Amino acid sequence: MGMRTVVRYLRRAVSVGLIAAALGGPPARPAAAQVDKWGFWENGVSEAWWLSAKDFTEEDGAGVVARWNAAGRAGASANAWAGDYFRGGSTHGTYVRWSPEGGFVIAHVNKCAAQAVGVVYGRAEFTPSLVRFVPEFSRGASRPHAHGDQHHAPPPAELRFVPVEWGGQRLLVPEDEMDDFGDFLAGLGRYNDWGVFLFLGYTEFLTQFSGPEGGDGGGGPAVSASRPKVPAGYERFLKRPVEGAIIAVGRSRVVRDYSEGVPNGRVMYGRARLTPVTVNVGTDHGAADGMMLRVSEPAEGDGVRIVRAGKRTSKGVVARSLDKDGRATFYDYQSGQERPHSPVKAGWSLTTSMF
């Protein structure tokens, strides 16, 4: 079975959650999972989950808990990559516990219902350049928000992950998603203008629960300009963001019912002030029509949407929402208050990167 099947299987494991949730990270020692008197799986990483009798027999449930415990006992292992990982958002997600000694368990969870809708477990193998999961058991849906039998397909013969260190965190990136990871790193492709998902706590790749006091691993790596550390041979997937500056500013105008396309939807403005600008990046630098360039300095939450990409320079627009008094403001986290936006100026720094 091809690696693209692996990718499709893992991508089905999560859905886009847009509101941050307290996932309840593990304590200093991995908690021993068990089933309570009501049949809920007390997993030690989140609220207790239940296993649907439609998909899991009592024997299945006992086996899942036993494997979860076996993988968790590797908390004393010298392997720093072993442990608990999460991928997803506030409503659905995928939890993984694994160790070379105890194997792996993948739980696809509908968090709204506190239900593990699918579980896969098996053997785990570790090398510094690759983590391999070999499934031995699979029950239930292959993604946490699945409906219908079409989502009960078995997992691939093996799941392959690249261990990545970035921003003080450990990630397991599916081997065939390394190109996507490069886009994520640089804010390109489907990850262009994707920062709102990080702000709202969405975790795109399996991220290890952080710190001895727990932590949900949400939001991806800590904000960092550092390059991720990847095994030899995978450096070719790491991409650079498109970076530039505003070089000219035109006359602003106020419009009503303005909208911009963003990943998975559109941003709507009841009233907006549009400021046309020229930027010093074009198609030769990787710019394209519709691309968003975040204003990194000053950091007021602005961005330039490319309207027409040229070869070396491009035309864009800065859109700012207006309040009922016609003011464009932003929330200044340092002062803890709303402040008026600075006038758009030539020289402002731009980047596609979210980090």
Side-chain angles (χ1 to χ4, degrees):
M1 188 171 295
M3 281 306 301
R4 280 293 167 192
T5 304
V6 176
V7 174
R8 288 194 296 270
Y9 171 75
L10 287 166
R11 280 182 173 162
R12 285 197 298 265
V14 296
S15 67
V16 175
L18 295 181
I19 302 175
L23 304 180
R29 293 183 179 180
Q34 61 184 11
V35 176
D36 66 18
K37 62 181 180 180
W38 296 283
F40 279 81
W41 172 10
E42 295 182 331
N43 51 76
V45 298
S46 180
E47 63 183 334
W49 307 318
W50 62 282
L51 296 169
S52 170
K54 176 178 178 292
D55 296 311
F56 299 91
T57 66
E58 186 173 340
E59 183 179 1
D60 290 339
V64 167
V65 172
R67 284 300 188 105
W68 185 265
N69 284 338
R73 279 194 290 270
S77 171
N79 191 311
W81 289 91
D84 300 321
Y85 290 74
F86 176 76
R87 174 182 187 176
S90 63
T91 60
H92 300 83
T94 295
Y95 292 82
V96 174
R97 172 174 284 186
W98 82 279
S99 67
E101 304 90 343
F104 78 92
V105 180
I106 300 174
H108 305 315
V109 178
N110 178 337
K111 294 168 65 179
C112 296
Q115 179 186 8
V117 297
V119 177
V120 182
Y121 66 68
R123 295 184 291 108
E125 301 175 6
F126 173 83
T127 69
S129 61
L130 197 66
V131 177
R132 295 177 65 248
F133 291 170
V134 181
E136 299 172 342
F137 171 94
S138 175
R139 291 287 187 278
S142 59
R143 62 174 178 171
H145 56 295
H147 300 283
D149 292 338
Q150 69 270 26
H151 299 305
H152 289 246
E158 69 172 17
L159 306 170
R160 297 161 64 91
F161 301 89
V162 178
V164 175
E165 292 185 82
W166 186 27
Q169 293 183 320
R170 296 185 180 92
L171 285 68
L172 293 181
V173 179
E175 188 178 47
D176 256 20
E177 288 189 34
M178 283 299 294
D179 193 57
D180 288 340
F181 178 72
D183 284 343
F184 181 78
L185 169 66
L188 302 175
R190 69 187 184 93
Y191 297 109
N192 183 240
D193 199 17
W194 211 73
V196 65
F197 291 89
L198 298 186
F199 178 77
L200 294 173
Y202 188 78
T203 306
E204 177 69 353
F205 299 97
L206 284 172
T207 303
Q208 191 177 50
F209 282 83
S210 57
E213 300 302 322
D216 59 21
V223 175
S224 174
S226 64
R227 297 280 282 175
K229 182 180 179 182
V230 299
Y234 292 98
E235 301 92 342
R236 69 186 187 278
F237 293 106
L238 303 183
K239 302 173 185 178
R240 296 285 184 183
V242 176
E243 296 180 322
I246 295 175
I247 57 175
V249 179
R251 185 187 296 271
S252 298
R253 62 189 177 98
V254 175
V255 300
R256 292 185 179 275
D257 299 325
Y258 179 73
S259 68
E260 289 184 335
V262 297
N264 296 287
R266 300 190 70 82
V267 174
M268 307 295 296
Y269 299 82
R271 293 180 68 207
R273 178 176 294 120
L274 307 182
T275 304
V277 298
T278 303
V279 300
N280 65 351
V281 293
T283 55
D284 283 356
H285 310 96
D289 290 355
M291 175 178 282
M292 175 64 79
L293 297 168
R294 182 176 62 86
V295 177
S296 56
E297 184 61 37
E300 298 181 3
D302 283 316
V304 174
R305 181 77 61 185
I306 300 296
V307 176
R308 186 172 68 256
K311 186 176 177 62
R312 303 290 297 176
T313 63
S314 301
K315 300 296 183 182
V317 63
V318 177
R320 288 172 167 174
S321 182
L322 301 180
D323 63 20
K324 60 183 179 62
D325 297 317
R327 297 175 302 183
T329 64
F330 72 100
Y331 186 78
D332 183 359
Y333 286 92
Q334 290 188 337
S335 65
Q337 60 185 358
E338 288 284 330
R339 294 182 53 194
H341 271 295
S342 304
V344 179
K345 294 181 179 179
W348 282 10
S349 299
L350 307 173
T351 181
T352 55
S353 174
M354 299 173 285
F355 304 102

